[in-house]
Amino acid sequence: MSFQVEDNPAKRRFEILVDDALAGFAAYTPGDGVLVFTHTEVDNRFQGQGVGAALVRGALDEVRARGDRIVPRCPFVAAFVKRHPEYADLVVDPA
């Protein structure tokens, strides 16, 4: 099984393809150098296979490469960052 994470700015979401099939997405609201992650969804066929974690990891790696930051309003993204403190520096205070 091969994962590929891509940003789809037209739909305001990162998408994960598993063997070229859309397996899930992480939706965001773009701001000035900040992406507010609002919702993550993985197709039932791909749940429990690490697809959600691969999706968020790929999205956060892309955010880091751009020099942007995040607000993890999505509970899945927030939990991922909590479990992976190497991404904590990407989080900004939404205040």
Side-chain angles (χ1 to χ4, degrees), residues 5-16 22 24-32 34-41 55 59 63 66 71 74 77:
V5 177
E6 300 175 343
D7 189 9
N8 183 339
K11 291 189 175 181
R12 294 182 172 185
R13 66 188 195 179
F14 283 90
E15 300 174 339
I16 187 164
L22 180 63
F25 64 88
Y28 61 80
T29 302
D32 187 23
V34 176
L35 296 182
V36 179
F37 281 91
T38 57
H39 178 70
T40 301
E41 194 170 304
L55 167 60
V63 168
R66 294 180 195 168
V71 176
C74 166
V77 174

Side-chain angles (χ1 to χ4, degrees), residues 11-83:
K11 291 189 175 181
R12 294 182 172 185
R13 66 188 195 179
F14 283 90
E15 300 174 339
I16 187 164
L17 304 175
V18 176
D19 299 329
D20 296 324
L22 180 63
F25 64 88
Y28 61 80
T29 302
D32 187 23
V34 176
L35 296 182
V36 179
F37 281 91
T38 57
H39 178 70
T40 301
E41 194 170 304
V42 174
D43 188 287
N44 289 335
R45 296 174 297 154
F46 298 101
Q47 289 186 0
Q49 300 175 44
V51 172
L55 167 60
V56 175
R57 183 179 307 279
L60 296 182
D61 287 345
E62 176 65 24
V63 168
R64 184 185 306 281
R66 294 180 195 168
D68 290 343
R69 311 272 306 275
I70 69 162
V71 176
R73 290 228 177 100
C74 166
F76 188 85
V77 174
F80 181 90
V81 171
K82 192 171 191 173
R83 283 191 317 272

